[in-house]
Amino acid sequence: MTSIERVTHDPDWYEPYRISLAIKANGLVFVSGQAGIDEQGRTVGGFEAQARQAFRNLRTVLGGSLDTVVKVTIMVTDMSHLDQIVRLREEYFTPPYPADTLVQVAGLAQSDWLIEIDAIAVDR
């Protein structure tokens, strides 16, 4: 039997948009794209600040740890930040590093967003 459960947080920064922070289904956790926004939904500083906030948001949604992440997709509006992304992946993830897709996009949901990260993790 398939079990589907919504993951929430208080405050839930995506609730106003009718988006689940994540969904647990069949032993996996599918995390919605996390941007560089704080818990009130406000965009933080430049690229480095947004990237760190997106990784922190991802960790928060997953209960405080990124150890169960098996796949991430990182979307950026400017690929010139590649070196920063590699450094941050090393900071936030540990071996074996998750599978990854990195893409440059023309834009994200908000015009001031510079990065968005979604993930798939194993549900513990």
Side-chain angles (χ1 to χ4, degrees):
M1 175 174 224
T2 301
S3 170
I4 297 175
E5 176 186 345
R6 180 177 182 210
V7 175
T8 61
H9 183 268
D10 187 22
D12 185 335
W13 49 93
Y14 280 169
E15 178 61 30
Y17 304 103
R18 305 301 180 250
I19 299 170
S20 295
L21 288 172
I23 293 290
K24 292 182 180 184
N26 295 333
L28 296 174
V29 183
F30 300 86
V31 183
S32 291
Q34 298 300 308
I37 59 174
D38 63 20
E39 290 186 340
Q40 286 70 47
R42 296 179 300 233
T43 304
V44 301
F47 183 82
E48 178 90 13
Q50 286 191 31
R52 288 185 176 283
Q53 185 67 50
F55 277 106
R56 284 192 299 267
N57 289 349
L58 182 61
R59 187 173 52 207
T60 296
V61 171
L62 290 171
S65 173
L66 297 177
D67 293 345
T68 60
V69 174
V70 295
K71 172 71 170 92
V72 293
T73 302
I74 301 174
M75 295 154 278
V76 296
T77 58
D78 184 348
M79 195 61 79
S80 71
H81 299 291
L82 177 60
D83 290 342
Q84 289 172 287
I85 294 165
V86 171
R87 187 172 33 80
L88 289 167
R89 281 181 45 81
E90 183 178 24
E91 182 179 330
Y92 284 93
F93 296 117
T94 57
Y97 297 110
D100 189 331
T101 300
L102 174 62
V103 296
Q104 180 172 319
V105 296
L108 295 164
Q110 300 290 328
S111 63
D112 56 349
W113 289 3
L114 304 173
I115 185 170
E116 188 170 346
I117 305 170
D118 72 21
I120 301 171
V122 176
D123 186 17
R124 288 192 184 170

